Amino acid sequence: MVKSHILSGFLKFSLFALLISVLTGCPNYIPHQANFDETKNSRYYLAQSENSSGSEKINWQLFAIRALLNEGNLTQAKQLLDQIPKSLNNEQEKEKILLQGEVAVKSKQKFDISSLSLANLNEDQKIRYYKIKIELDGQKQDNNAKIHDLIELEKYGSVEQRHDAINLTWQFLSNLSEKQINKILVYANEYVLQGWIDLSYLYNSNLKTYAINEQDDADTIARLEEDKYKALKNAISEWQIQYSSHPAANYLPRDIYGSKHRLSDPSEYKKVALLLPLSGQSKIFGETIRLGYQDAAKVSSENQQQDVIYFDTNSDSIDNLVIRAKQQGAQLIVGPLLKQNVQTLLQSSPDLPVLALNKIEDINSLPSHANKICFFALSPEDEAKDAAKHIYSENKKQPLLIIPHNNLGDRVAKSFSQQWDITNPNSKGIYVQYFNSAQELSKKMNSGIGIELEGIPLTHSNTESTIQNNSVEQPKFDAIYIYASHEELTLIKSMLEMKSNKVIANADGNNNKNENKQSEIKVIPMLYASSRSNIANTTTDFRYDMDKLQLSDIPLIVKQKERYSQLPDYIKNDFSLVRLYAMGFDAWTLSNHFDTLIPYQTGIINGETGRLSVTEQCDITRTLSWIRYKNGNEVAIN
């Protein structure tokens, strides 16, 4: 009973105190303060203030002043600001000082903002504080203070606001003279500022190197502009490596390459989910492709940028990774790499378009998908088809294939045969000779057993290739395509020579002997090999032994341009990794052009993996580069 009486008395007292507080307008009572809404105009906030009183009315008035400033109505904002009473709570006082500062800078007047303590400001207020300071720095022509305040501004706000700060910083620096930049004080621990200064130096150095003179004609100016752009891209790429943690290394200022090559806004970036093995035994493959993908983005002259999300295919199921990619806003999936993962992805019928980095056995049997799916693979089947085209282009009519006796060899033979029948409709078919392993070849060679110029006919019918086992008369072969490892190729060529007079035909089918003796010698037909036989750092002896043999590989390896020389040694010394790097490089380009990839497009991209074309079912194929061994050297074939 006593407890009930006490509780009743307490409630009465509380209600009475609250009523007195409201009626007397007690300053200790502060109503809940709403947040400023950028989407509301000044009329909205003025209407709210008209329907309010006390401290709440002041809050709405402060918001109205801010809205008026956003609308450019400086006169009315000043008038309303003068009406704000002097007796304010702490939050209102901070807001009033910020508004006074914003009015001052818009009026090009001096202002002392030191009365505000940065530690007592929320994030939005800190952004406004530094924007006021930056304008005041400009009034004083204090470049040192301004660059420091711009760097501080970049630390706050949303991603878009921080990007705006980076663009403002570059706009400021790019308008300073070299003398002004040299006067900016940089202390040892000011990593971000030093990065900005170095970026300015390399930018100005580029401008000087490729300066345009009055007497330059239009062609000279165009060439200088292009050279300047390429040199600046390379220099900035090196800067990004040196300052990898710098805010501008991840988001370059939009105008850093000039108006012609203005970078797109992050909101316009295509969001791509890159599915690769980034852990486990296949980690090195995935990391190498990722490096190629990233490098392509750095050096590309295309304005299209990407926001790439990386997913490790060894960390979760493919189905879950696709769900996560979609949740994070991905617009395109690039990958996966491993064939079994591609199969799983196709079975799940993803509701995102896909650029798969491998393909299944029979693409033509795939059911139709609601979303576009393309296939980009470094497959031996594609290489065999390219070899068939190349060999036929050299006027060869009767090839012999020497291939491993396994599933891989059968696939190579089938693909070569299919393409040979398309290229040469009047063909009598190709012939195949199998070998089992390097160990078996070595044993035969040591026993004095060579390789005869003979094979088993391989006929092509619709989608299946079959071996004809019956004995038939051997045709006169004018080309041999060898699909073998480096070690196997060395043995096979030596064993072919054991059964001949060691004369290899030239590309036109003739030999170097006197034509009158043609019937007395046994000529080895022109030899062709695949990239599987090509390794880094071949010996001079090997190149002499392979004299006149032709070999296909990707352009990055065959041409060995500047990009090849810049590769890390662990990649450069392993051609299988170089090919994966090139695959990642071309995958970036393909993903940028994904929407325009349609069947039966030829030579759409001159890539690092080859000249890329699109066939049916959006299968991307490659035309490779070829070399010929001659006098111990590798000579590129056009």
Side-chain angles (χ1 to χ4, degrees):
M1 187 71 180
V2 174
K3 289 182 180 179
S4 176
H5 177 73
I6 293 173
L7 180 60
S8 174
F10 174 76
L11 289 172
K12 288 178 181 178
F13 175 79
S14 298
L15 290 170
F16 177 76
L18 180 60
L19 179 61
I20 293 296
S21 177
V22 171
L23 292 174
T24 60
C26 176
N28 291 327
Y29 170 67
I30 304 173
H32 175 70
Q33 184 167 331
N35 292 321
F36 179 73
D37 187 347
E38 297 276 359
T39 64
K40 299 289 194 300
N41 59 27
S42 57
R43 291 194 302 275
Y44 168 80
Y45 289 116
L46 289 171
Q48 294 296 323
S49 69
E50 289 296 324
N51 296 322
S52 306
S53 60
S55 186
E56 187 176 3
K57 181 180 181 69
I58 295 172
N59 289 339
W60 290 118
Q61 287 176 323
L62 292 170
F63 285 161
I65 296 167
R66 189 171 172 184
L68 286 166
L69 288 174
N70 287 347
E71 295 165 6
N73 195 337
L74 185 60
T75 302
Q76 191 177 352
K78 284 182 178 180
Q79 293 172 350
L80 188 56
L81 188 58
D82 290 339
Q83 298 173 19
I84 299 296
K86 293 183 179 180
S87 178
L88 303 172
N89 62 46
N90 288 337
E91 286 301 316
Q92 291 169 342
E93 186 64 34
K94 285 188 290 186
E95 182 65 25
K96 181 181 178 182
I97 295 172
L98 286 170
L99 289 170
Q100 287 173 333
E102 288 167 341
V103 167
V105 297
K106 286 180 182 294
S107 304
K108 306 296 181 184
Q109 296 175 347
K110 294 180 181 180
F111 184 76
D112 183 10
I113 201 170
S114 60
S115 59
L116 278 179
S117 171
L118 192 64
N120 295 328
L121 302 180
N122 61 36
E123 189 167 27
D124 178 64
Q125 290 170 335
K126 286 176 181 176
I127 292 171
R128 295 168 65 195
Y129 169 88
Y130 277 112
K131 284 184 176 180
I132 294 168
K133 279 204 74 187
I134 288 164
E135 291 297 325
L136 296 173
D137 295 335
Q139 289 179 15
K140 300 173 188 175
Q141 296 185 345
D142 189 343
N143 295 330
N144 193 64
K146 188 169 183 176
I147 186 63
H148 281 86
D149 287 334
L150 281 165
I151 289 171
E152 290 300 314
L153 176 63
E154 189 276 329
K155 296 177 181 178
Y156 304 105
S158 65
V159 172
E160 289 76 14
Q161 288 173 309
R162 296 179 70 179
H163 288 170
D164 287 342
I166 289 172
N167 289 323
L168 281 172
T169 305
W170 179 248
Q171 184 181 13
F172 166 65
L173 280 173
S174 61
N175 286 319
L176 294 182
S177 67
E178 191 171 342
K179 185 178 180 180
Q180 289 173 315
I181 292 173
N182 289 335
K183 288 183 178 179
I184 293 175
L185 298 176
V186 184
Y187 294 100
N189 63 339
E190 291 187 298
Y191 168 85
V192 174
L193 178 55
Q194 186 62 64
W196 278 118
I197 299 300
D198 287 352
L199 184 61
S200 296
Y201 284 154
L202 72 86
Y203 177 82
N204 289 325
S205 175
N206 178 267
L207 289 179
K208 290 179 182 178
T209 304
Y210 298 95
I212 296 171
N213 299 315
E214 289 183 4
Q215 64 270 25
D216 290 336
D217 58 25
D219 290 340
T220 302
I221 293 173
R223 178 179 54 78
L224 282 171
E225 289 288 351
E226 186 62 26
D227 290 346
K228 179 174 73 173
Y229 172 64
K230 289 179 180 177
L232 184 59
K233 283 208 77 169
N234 290 334
I236 289 176
S237 292
E238 293 177 6
W239 178 87
Q240 286 176 301
I241 295 171
Q242 182 181 357
Y243 289 96
S244 58
S245 300
H246 196 281
N250 296 317
Y251 173 80
L252 285 174
R254 294 189 70 183
D255 294 321
I256 197 163
Y257 296 122
S259 57
K260 182 180 177 182
H261 300 284
R262 194 168 193 255
L263 300 174
S264 56
D265 189 85
S267 62
E268 301 166 2
Y269 289 2
K270 177 185 286 187
K271 184 160 278 193
V272 176
L274 190 55
L275 275 59
L276 294 170
L278 300 175
S279 62
Q281 293 181 340
S282 49
K283 175 183 177 180
I284 190 170
F285 306 137
E287 291 288 4
T288 302
I289 291 175
R290 175 160 72 170
L291 179 63
Y293 200 92
Q294 292 171 334
D295 283 356
K298 291 177 183 177
V299 304
S300 173
S301 60
E302 298 179 21
N303 291 329
Q304 175 69 50
Q305 299 294 314
Q306 295 183 3
D307 181 6
V308 184
I309 321 163
Y310 299 99
F311 293 95
D312 180 8
T313 52
N314 288 330
S315 68
D316 205 343
S317 69
I318 295 297
D319 289 347
N320 286 342
L321 292 180
V322 172
I323 292 171
R324 285 167 52 193
K326 189 177 179 184
Q327 289 172 342
Q328 294 186 42
Q331 299 163 279
L332 171 68
I333 292 174
V334 177
L337 175 65
L338 304 182
K339 186 170 289 189
Q340 62 268 31
N341 288 338
V342 173
Q343 186 70 57
T344 302
L345 181 66
L346 296 178
Q347 289 172 350
S348 67
S349 296
D351 49 4
L352 288 172
V354 177
L355 174 63
L357 299 181
N358 212 320
K359 57 186 175 185
I360 61 172
E361 292 291 331
D362 193 355
I363 292 177
N364 293 326
S365 65
L366 283 174
S368 60
H369 288 85
N371 288 284
K372 182 176 177 181
I373 298 178
C374 295
F375 302 88
F376 177 46
L378 304 181
S379 71
E381 293 94 332
D382 286 348
E383 192 165 355
K385 289 179 180 180
D386 183 67
K389 294 176 186 177
H390 176 73
I391 292 170
Y392 182 77
S393 73
E394 296 206 321
N395 299 315
K396 306 304 178 185
K397 306 301 181 186
Q398 190 60 68
L400 169 67
L401 271 58
I402 300 180
I403 56 177
H405 200 183
N406 54 28
N407 177 261
L408 174 61
D410 289 340
R411 283 160 36 211
V412 167
K414 176 182 175 181
S415 294
F416 189 102
S417 174
Q418 287 174 338
Q419 185 60 52
W420 189 260
D421 283 359
I422 294 170
T423 307
N424 186 12
N426 298 321
S427 167
K428 296 179 181 179
I430 63 171
Y431 285 65
V432 176
Q433 183 176 152
Y434 289 111
F435 64 88
N436 289 317
S437 64
Q439 291 78 9
E440 181 202 52
L441 291 170
S442 182
K443 285 180 182 179
K444 286 184 177 181
M445 184 174 172
N446 291 334
S447 301
I449 303 173
I451 293 180
E452 297 282 359
L453 294 179
E454 59 185 24
I456 304 169
L458 185 72
T459 61
H460 168 62
S461 176
N462 295 326
T463 59
E464 295 185 359
S465 297
T466 57
I467 299 294
Q468 303 295 320
N469 289 314
N470 54 307
S471 298
V472 295
E473 182 180 351
Q474 297 294 313
K476 184 177 179 181
F477 299 110
D478 57 2
I480 298 178
Y481 179 60
I482 305 168
Y483 192 84
S485 68
H486 180 80
E487 180 186 5
E488 291 164 348
L489 174 65
T490 305
L491 293 167
I492 289 169
K493 187 171 184 294
S494 297
M495 294 171 73
L496 282 166
E497 291 174 346
M498 287 172 64
K499 289 291 185 178
S500 73
N501 294 92
K502 299 187 179 181
V503 177
I504 301 179
N506 292 319
D508 59 3
N510 297 324
N511 60 74
N512 296 325
K513 298 288 184 177
N514 190 304
E515 290 185 8
N516 294 329
K517 297 183 178 181
Q518 179 74 27
S519 60
E520 300 175 11
I521 63 175
K522 194 171 185 180
V523 179
I524 301 176
M526 191 65 195
L527 300 181
Y528 302 85
S530 72
S531 63
R532 189 164 181 251
S533 305
N534 198 21
I535 63 170
N537 306 316
T538 55
T539 65
T540 304
D541 287 344
F542 171 81
R543 294 193 292 273
Y544 270 110
D545 289 342
M546 295 296 119
D547 199 52
K548 297 180 183 176
L549 177 138
Q550 292 187 29
L551 181 143
S552 64
D553 215 321
I554 65 171
L556 182 59
I557 290 175
V558 171
K559 298 178 182 178
Q560 296 201 356
K561 297 178 291 187
E562 183 181 359
R563 185 168 298 119
Y564 176 86
S565 64
Q566 294 173 348
L567 291 175
D569 286 342
Y570 79 92
I571 294 180
K572 193 161 43 179
N573 294 326
D574 185 343
F575 279 177
S576 64
L577 293 181
V578 176
R579 295 178 193 111
L580 289 174
Y581 171 89
M583 183 187 200
F585 199 98
D586 286 353
W588 185 88
T589 307
L590 287 166
S591 63
N592 257 3
H593 294 269
F594 189 82
D595 293 340
T596 63
L597 297 180
I598 57 176
Y600 308 112
Q601 288 179 306
T602 303
I604 54 169
I605 296 170
N606 286 319
E608 298 295 351
T609 60
R611 194 160 180 258
L612 307 182
S613 302
V614 185
T615 64
E616 58 185 339
Q617 296 290 348
C618 203
D619 181 18
I620 297 157
T621 61
R622 303 172 296 130
T623 299
L624 298 173
S625 298
W626 287 79
I627 60 171
R628 178 188 288 112
Y629 291 102
K630 185 176 182 180
N631 299 326
N633 296 310
E634 296 178 358
V635 181
I637 302 172
N638 292 332

